[in-house]
C-alpha cells in the first residue's frame, strides 16, 4: 500500500513538472513572436507549478514589462505567495514586481512601491539569506535619498552578499554586489572604501564596465555618475537571465 502511494506521489510530481515546462515553453513561443500579453497566462501557469523557479519568474516579469501589465503581475505574485508562503523566490519576485512598476508611476506612488518591494525582499531573506536576496534588498536601499538614512542598511546587506559570493562558485552576476557596495560606501561618505571595493571587484571581474566607469571618475564627476545610476525614474535591471544561464552551464 505504501509503495502504491509513493508511486502515485512520484507520478504526480513528474506530471506537474511536465505541465510546468510545457506551459513555460508555450509562453516563450509567444514571447518570441512578440505576443507578450498572450504569453502571460502560460508563464503564470508555469510559475504556479514551480514558484521557486527564478527563470520562470524572470521571463514572466520581462513579458509583463513589455506588455505593461504591472498590476496583473503584482496581483499574480500576491496570490502566489499566499499559496506558497514558504517560497523565498516567490517573495523575492513579488518584490521585483513592484520595482518593475516604479518607472511607470508618479513620484508619490514610487515611494509606496519601493517600500512594498523592500517588505517582500525582507520576507524572502527571512526565509533564505541568499546572495541574490541580500544583494537585491541592499541595492534597493541605495535608491532612497540620504535623508531617509537607509544607505547604511544597504551597506550591511551588500557586505553580507559579497561575503556569500566569495564562498560560492564565481559568476559574472556577482560583480553587481561589488558595484553596489562601493556605491553604498560612497553614499555613506566612505570614498576610500568605495574605491577599494570597486578595485577588488575589477580584479575578480576584469573588464566589468560599471566598475571601470566608477574607477575612471573622481569628485563631482563620480557623484554625478552615481546619482544618475541610482535615479528612481530609470528602470532597474531585474532580469535574472544572466544568473540562471550561468547556473545551467
Amino acid at each position: 500500500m505504501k509503495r502504491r502511494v509513493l508511486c502515485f506521489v512520484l507520478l504526480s510530481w513528474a506530471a506537474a513538472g511536465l505541465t510546468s515546462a510545457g506551459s513555460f515553453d508555450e509562453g516563450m513561443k509567444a514571447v518570441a513572436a512578440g505576443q507578450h500579453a498572450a504569453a502571460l497566462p502560460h508563464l503564470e501557469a508555469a510559475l504556479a507549478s514551480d514558484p521557486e523557479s527564478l527563470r520562470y519568474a524572470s521571463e514572466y516579469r520581462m513579458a509583463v514589462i513589455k506588455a505593461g501589465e504591472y498590476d496583473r503581475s503584482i496581483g499574480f505574485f500576491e496570490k502566489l505567495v499566499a499559496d506558497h508562503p514558504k517560497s523565498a523566490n516567490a517573495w523575492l519576485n513579488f518584490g521585483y514586481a513592484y520595482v518593475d512598476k516604479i518607472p511607470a508611476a508618479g513620484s508619490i506612488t514610487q515611494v509606496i512601491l519601493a517600500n512594498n518591494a523592500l517588505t517582500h525582499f525582507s520576507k524572502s531573506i527571512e526565509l533564505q539569506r541568499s546572495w541574490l536576496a541580500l544583494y537585491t534588498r541592499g541595492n534597493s536601499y541605495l535608491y532612497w535619498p540620504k535623508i531617509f538614512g537607509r544607505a547604511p542598511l544597504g551597506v550591511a546587506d551588500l557586505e553580507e552578499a559579497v561575503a556569500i559570493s566569495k564562498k560560492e562558485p564565481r559568476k559574472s552576476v556577482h560583480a553587481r554586489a561589488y558595484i553596489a557596495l562601493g556605491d553604498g560606501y560612497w553614499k555613506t561618505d566612505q570614498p576610500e572604501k568605495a574605491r577599494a571595493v570597486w578595485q577588488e571587484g575589477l580584479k575578480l571581474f576584469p573588464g566589468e564596465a560599471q566598475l571601470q566607469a566608477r574607477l575612471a571618475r573622481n569628485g563631482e564627476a563620480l557623484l554625478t555618475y552615481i546619482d544618475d545610476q541610482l535615479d528612481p525614474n530609470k528602470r532597474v535591471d531585474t532580469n535574472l537571465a544572466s544568473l540562471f544561464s550561468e547556473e545551467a552551464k
Side-chain angles (χ1 to χ4, degrees), residues 225-246:
Y225 182 80
I226 292 176
D227 284 346
D228 180 65
Q229 295 300 303
L230 297 176
D231 182 350
N233 294 303
K234 289 187 173 181
R235 180 165 301 285
V236 176
D237 182 10
T238 63
N239 189 339
L240 304 179
S242 59
L243 180 64
F244 55 72
S245 63
E246 287 188 74

Side-chain angles (χ1 to χ4, degrees), residues 36 45-46 61 86 88 100 121 146 164 167 204 212 239:
H36 297 96
R61 289 186 298 93
K86 299 298 184 182
D100 291 339
F121 296 150
K146 287 184 73 172
I164 290 173
K167 299 174 184 176
L204 295 170
Q212 290 178 327
N239 189 339

Side-chain angles (χ1 to χ4, degrees), residues 114-115 118 138 141-142 144-155 188:
N115 222 27
L118 282 171
Y141 280 133
L142 303 185
W144 291 78
K146 287 184 73 172
I147 193 172
F148 287 93
R150 290 188 164 180
L153 299 174
V155 167
T188 53

Side-chain angles (χ1 to χ4, degrees), residues 150-229:
R150 290 188 164 180
L153 299 174
V155 167
D157 277 351
L158 292 163
E159 285 177 337
E160 187 173 352
V162 166
I164 290 173
S165 72
K166 291 178 178 180
K167 299 174 184 176
E168 298 180 347
R170 189 178 305 163
K171 302 181 178 72
S172 60
V173 72
H174 287 154
R176 295 188 187 186
Y178 287 85
I179 295 165
L181 179 55
D183 291 355
Y185 285 142
W186 182 266
K187 289 198 72 169
T188 53
D189 303 315
Q190 302 178 81
E192 295 83 6
K193 279 191 170 184
R195 299 198 77 83
V197 78
W198 290 331
Q199 288 167 347
E200 181 185 359
L202 194 58
K203 287 179 182 177
L204 295 170
F205 306 97
E208 166 52 53
Q210 287 289 314
L211 290 168
Q212 290 178 327
R214 284 160 172 76
L215 289 168
R217 292 167 170 79
N218 290 288
E220 286 298 317
L222 179 56
L223 175 62
T224 299
Y225 182 80
I226 292 176
D227 284 346
D228 180 65
Q229 295 300 303

